[in-house]
Amino acid sequence: MSSFNPFFNPRSVAVIGASQDLASISGQPIAHLMAKGYPGEILPVNPRYSEVAGHRCYPDVASLPIAPDVAVIAVAARRVAGALADLGRKGCRFAVILSSGFAEAGEEGAQAQRNIAATAREFGMRVIGPNCQGYMNISDGIHVGFGAPYGATYPAGHLSLTSQSGAFGNSIVMLASQEGIGFRHYVSTGNESVTTSLDFMDAMIDDPQTHVIAGYVEGFQDAHRLVGIGQRALRAGKPMLVWKVGTSEAGARAAASHTANLGGAMALYRAAFRQAGIIEVNDVGDLADCAKALLPRRFPKGNRLAVVTISGGAGIAMADGASDGGLQLPALDASTVSALKQVLPSFAAVANPLDVTASLLADAGLLKVTLEKLADDPNVDMIGLALAAAGGKLAVELAREIVRVSQERDMPILVAWNADPANVQEAYDILDAAGIPRYQSPVRCARGASALWAFEAARTRIGRQSGEKPLVLHRPEVRGAIVGRNTDLTEYEAKHVLSAYGIRATQEALAANASEAVRMAGAMDAPVVMKIQSTDIPHKTEAGGVRLGVQGDDAVALAFDEIMRNARAHAPQAALDGVLVQEMVGDAHELILGVNNDPLFGPAVMVGFGGIYAEVMKDVSFRIAPLVRSEAEAMLRELRAFPILDGARGRARADIDAVVDTLMHLSALAIDLRDVVHELDINPLFVKKAGEGVRAGDALAKPLVQAHLHPRLHPQVAEPQSPEVTVAATHTDR
């Protein structure tokens, strides 16, 4: 966080365009700083005034006695670039641009925003905004911005939040504060012309007083950094919560128009979240529920939750919520059941959920024994306690027992308790002071428990992956054959690319005439598939260019002639490479694998159930490249139909290891060719029985056209450890 220390703890703040009307947008930053007792220098800049709110006002930036740590720019959009340049020459390193009228307002505004970014680069400045509302160092009471929320007081704590929406971000701070969440820092990032949400999130990992990082996100323009930053946060023990909006088509359009950020494909965001251990939230209450559980930093060893309640209905509700969050409700150990039966009333249901009945309200000792026995149960990793509206004189004693057991046993205990605060406030205060997550409902309590496990599971996974390395392959000959090309590769060419990266295709050959086709099919000594090959005919079937199960010399020759005739009729100007003669593969599962070189995330790898029903089933999983092996295995097991591959209903188990190998090689291809390949599909990938491998049955590759070459988003990959290989030349050179 050191690079942002002068930003969050500035010794001086200049306000460019400062107004003597402290209720105006350009006057409020000064008013809020003064109201919060800001101890540093306030430096108004406006040639119209000699003083503002008792502070000397300077006619221009050059007249300032010092270079301010932070400058707030609150002038018309047309004057922003000049003000920023003046600040750069003065030596200011942080500028917060409140002004709007930039990329969110059309192409002219977008160009003005690009000019801001260029000026910032010239002077090495960090720029927040434009079109933002400011920021708050809530821990130290430094509020720099405009809007009524900047004049409010919030509980200090250890959650740091970024928001690409100013007004809504303010609302999140206010509503989460009402839920009992304490804040460290809050930043409204606006259009993110220079400094992005991910810049702040990355810095917050290094802030000792930030324990949980959260963000309201419409779209990351530097999304390729998300996985690396998320994994760094995992290793630092700092959970990240992200509320990504624009998940629907209508929402994505609104997000783009609001802050001019590209929303990107939600599937890739969720893939990045999974890889990085980022917890996705979808409301202020959801964010608060997760934060309450995570902020105390008391994590479970597993996902096994014991539910204790004085109401059977509450236990069912919590059990349902736990199941939705990936938690298990294990059977209690026999010794636990025996011990509890000795102390609980005979009508209590000793199981999980455990209904201790309302008898608990008359004897706090029952809770003590119950929690101790559950905390000592080898099958239990955390406890969810639903106390409904329990109150009265025992409330404080109940709270103290909860705290004692949690601390002595180092056991996460989460409490759903919705009594009238007027009657149990002291008990609530005891729980809050000890960091015991407290909720209004059993379902929200279960959500908090789910977040605990989601973070701990991700942290464990990333720890296991520390010894894994992605596969690195370097094939310069392939790059040379594709670079500068503006047409899709034929299937035959695409399979040569796959072969160069160790992905096995079906046995096949390209025939230029019927005689060659007959000879090639005869060598395969089995029924064959025959397909037209032309970069001008991307949809082979529609052109009448595919024949299946062809066998025998006469049939092969006839099929060749028919395919070529159909292709010429379908596309008279097409350049025909010939007909691909390919072995037929039977008794195999069909998957689809692919690479999508996204302009925000860079290369992503996909796997799903394929064949003709790929678009219908949409049973797919994505990851951002490069992959390590355990990640490739995980994405395969995420598929709803994975049990079919794993030998469901007595079927032979498929060669899952070969599929994982293929994903690893496809990931290496995606990284090595990230500046020349836009998309690549293998559909189908035939998956044989265990030990028999896989075959790429069809392939499509689209080059990344130079005119649309996006900035290189992915970090450079280390040079390969294995020798380079020569790639077979493509059949045609266009």
Side-chain angles (χ1 to χ4, degrees):
M1 197 71 180
S2 57
S3 63
F4 281 93
N5 280 340
F7 177 73
F8 285 110
N9 296 280
R11 295 165 299 180
S12 55
V13 177
V15 179
I16 315 303
S19 173
Q20 288 184 336
D21 179 4
L22 298 187
S24 68
I25 289 177
S26 54
Q28 287 185 51
I30 294 173
H32 294 319
L33 284 168
M34 293 175 62
K36 295 295 176 184
Y38 172 61
E41 286 190 75
I42 298 175
L43 304 169
V45 176
N46 192 326
R48 296 170 57 190
Y49 311 120
S50 59
E51 65 86 26
V52 172
H55 298 276
R56 179 182 173 184
C57 188
Y58 298 87
D60 50 42
V61 171
S63 302
L64 291 173
I66 58 172
D69 283 341
V70 173
V72 178
I73 300 178
V75 298
R78 68 181 183 278
R79 296 174 52 203
V80 168
L84 191 64
D86 290 343
L87 288 165
R89 284 188 285 269
K90 189 69 176 179
C92 178
R93 289 293 169 260
F94 292 95
V96 180
I97 303 176
L98 307 183
S99 314
S100 58
F102 291 89
E104 80 283 358
E107 179 51 37
E108 184 177 348
Q111 181 57 52
Q113 185 166 306
R114 288 191 285 271
N115 293 341
I116 287 174
T119 300
R121 285 194 297 271
E122 179 183 353
F123 292 104
M125 299 178 70
R126 294 187 182 272
V127 174
I128 294 77
N131 190 32
C132 74
Q133 280 194 246
Y135 70 99
M136 291 184 267
N137 174 349
I138 294 172
S139 293
D140 298 309
I142 302 173
H143 294 196
V144 183
F146 72 93
Y150 283 81
T153 299
Y154 307 100
H158 301 285
L159 175 71
S160 288
L161 171 72
T162 70
S163 174
Q164 292 174 341
S165 171
F168 195 63
N170 298 341
S171 297
I172 294 173
V173 174
M174 291 187 292
L175 292 170
S177 295
Q178 293 168 16
E179 293 270 1
I181 302 301
F183 282 87
R184 166 70 166 158
H185 293 141
Y186 162 67
V187 185
S188 160
T189 60
N191 289 11
E192 301 190 356
S193 61
V194 177
T195 307
T196 68
S197 295
L198 286 176
D199 288 329
F200 281 110
M201 291 178 177
D202 194 29
M204 288 166 179
I205 297 171
D206 299 322
D207 176 27
Q209 295 306 311
T210 294
H211 297 170
V212 175
I213 300 164
Y216 172 86
V217 175
E218 293 165 2
F220 288 125
Q221 58 185 303
D222 49 353
H224 62 285
R225 302 171 59 203
L226 184 58
V227 171
I229 290 172
Q231 291 182 346
R232 196 169 84 83
L234 273 182
R235 294 186 180 97
K238 301 202 176 183
M240 287 182 64
L241 307 174
V242 172
W243 183 358
K244 171 67 177 73
V245 297
T247 60
S248 65
E249 183 178 350
R253 287 197 301 269
S257 63
H258 183 55
T259 61
N261 274 315
L262 297 173
M266 196 59 207
L268 297 186
Y269 275 98
R270 291 193 168 123
F273 293 165
R274 283 191 292 269
Q275 279 174 270
I278 293 169
I279 299 171
E280 184 182 0
V281 297
N282 54 29
D283 193 12
V284 178
D286 192 17
L287 187 152
D289 292 344
C290 295
K292 280 184 184 179
L294 294 163
L295 281 166
R297 299 195 285 185
R298 187 178 292 118
F299 301 109
K301 296 179 175 63
N303 70 336
R304 300 169 302 174
L305 176 72
V307 174
V308 185
T309 177
I310 61 174
S311 163
I316 295 170
M318 191 180 292
D320 288 346
S323 178
D324 291 343
L327 303 182
Q328 295 180 4
L329 266 67
L332 301 179
D333 188 76
S335 62
T336 304
V337 173
S338 176
L340 289 175
K341 283 185 174 180
Q342 293 178 28
V343 296
L344 294 177
S346 59
F347 48 83
V350 181
N352 191 12
L354 172 62
D355 184 1
V356 297
T357 76
S359 59
L360 179 70
L361 303 181
D363 183 3
L366 290 179
L367 180 64
K368 171 186 175 181
V369 174
T370 299
L371 292 180
E372 287 178 343
K373 297 303 180 185
L374 291 175
D376 292 336
D377 191 310
N379 297 336
V380 174
D381 299 309
M382 50 185 157
I383 299 171
L385 177 59
L387 293 177
K393 62 181 182 180
L394 288 181
V396 169
E397 192 174 346
L398 293 174
R400 286 174 175 158
E401 286 301 330
I402 294 167
V403 171
R404 182 186 63 80
V405 174
S406 178
Q407 292 178 345
E408 289 182 357
R409 301 299 202 279
D410 193 25
M411 170 71 67
I413 300 178
L414 301 91
V415 181
W417 198 349
N418 62 340
D420 182 355
N423 296 326
V424 295
Q425 191 59 57
E426 185 180 355
Y428 283 179
D429 291 343
I430 291 171
L431 295 180
D432 295 347
I436 301 295
R438 178 173 58 83
Y439 301 90
Q440 288 289 305
S441 80
V443 175
R444 297 183 69 177
C445 183
R447 174 61 173 130
S450 300
L452 279 178
W453 170 240
F455 175 73
E456 186 57 30
R459 185 164 60 165
T460 301
R461 173 180 54 81
I462 202 71
R464 288 197 303 264
Q465 289 179 354
S466 60
E468 295 186 74
K469 300 295 182 185
L471 179 65
V472 176
L473 298 172
H474 188 45
R475 305 293 184 255
E477 292 84 357
V478 175
R479 179 188 308 278
I482 300 174
V483 68
R485 180 167 175 158
N486 59 9
T487 59
D488 295 351
L489 278 67
T490 65
E491 175 185 346
Y492 183 65
E493 294 170 328
K495 285 179 176 175
H496 271 296
V497 173
L498 295 177
S499 178
Y501 287 88
I503 299 173
R504 183 176 177 182
T506 50
Q507 182 184 358
E508 58 194 35
L510 187 64
N513 53 55
S515 298
E516 286 186 5
V518 169
R519 176 176 54 79
M520 293 168 181
M524 296 180 192
D525 194 26
V528 296
V529 179
M530 300 176 67
K531 307 175 190 174
I532 190 66
Q533 297 294 290
S534 170
T535 59
D536 300 315
I537 304 178
H539 303 293
K540 299 186 284 287
T541 301
E542 293 177 10
V546 178
R547 294 291 185 273
L548 304 177
V550 185
Q551 189 169 21
D553 292 355
D554 292 343
V556 170
L558 179 62
F560 181 94
D561 292 338
E562 288 180 345
I563 289 172
M564 294 293 285
R565 186 165 56 250
N566 290 344
R568 292 191 182 100
H570 177 78
Q573 304 303 316
L576 306 181
D577 296 349
V579 174
L580 189 65
V581 180
Q582 174 186 20
E583 69 170 317
M584 284 197 71
V585 179
D587 191 24
H589 298 286
E590 295 185 10
L591 297 184
I592 179 171
L593 276 67
V595 170
N596 174 29
N597 200 350
D598 184 79
L600 297 178
F601 284 94
V605 176
M606 179 267 291
V607 65
F609 270 72
I612 61 175
Y613 298 114
E615 292 294 327
V616 177
M617 295 178 66
K618 294 182 179 178
D619 185 12
V620 297
S621 177
F622 285 87
R623 290 293 189 276
I624 310 303
L627 301 179
V628 295
R629 189 172 186 85
S630 62
E631 205 66 64
E633 293 171 350
M635 64 188 296
L636 189 60
R637 291 179 181 275
E638 281 174 14
L639 301 177
R640 297 189 303 274
F642 174 77
I644 295 174
L645 295 177
D646 207 26
R649 295 187 176 274
R651 293 196 62 176
R653 189 171 185 269
D655 200 334
I656 293 171
D657 288 343
V659 179
V660 174
D661 287 341
T662 304
L663 286 169
M664 292 293 290
H665 285 259
L666 195 61
S667 169
L669 178 157
I671 293 297
D672 193 39
L673 300 182
R674 62 195 181 279
D675 57 353
V676 295
V677 169
H678 179 50
E679 295 177 17
L680 188 148
D681 288 340
I682 305 171
N683 186 24
L685 179 77
F686 294 112
V687 184
K688 306 284 284 182
K689 297 175 184 177
E692 296 182 5
V694 298
R695 307 286 190 279
D698 201 346
L700 170 69
K702 293 178 178 292
L704 189 64
V705 180
Q706 193 68 29
H708 300 101
L709 186 65
H710 48 64
R712 197 64 268 135
L713 298 176
H714 213 91
Q716 292 295 316
V717 178
E719 286 301 307
Q721 302 302 310
S722 57
E724 298 175 1
V725 300
T726 301
V727 180
T730 55
H731 184 64
T732 56
D733 184 14
R734 290 183 173 84

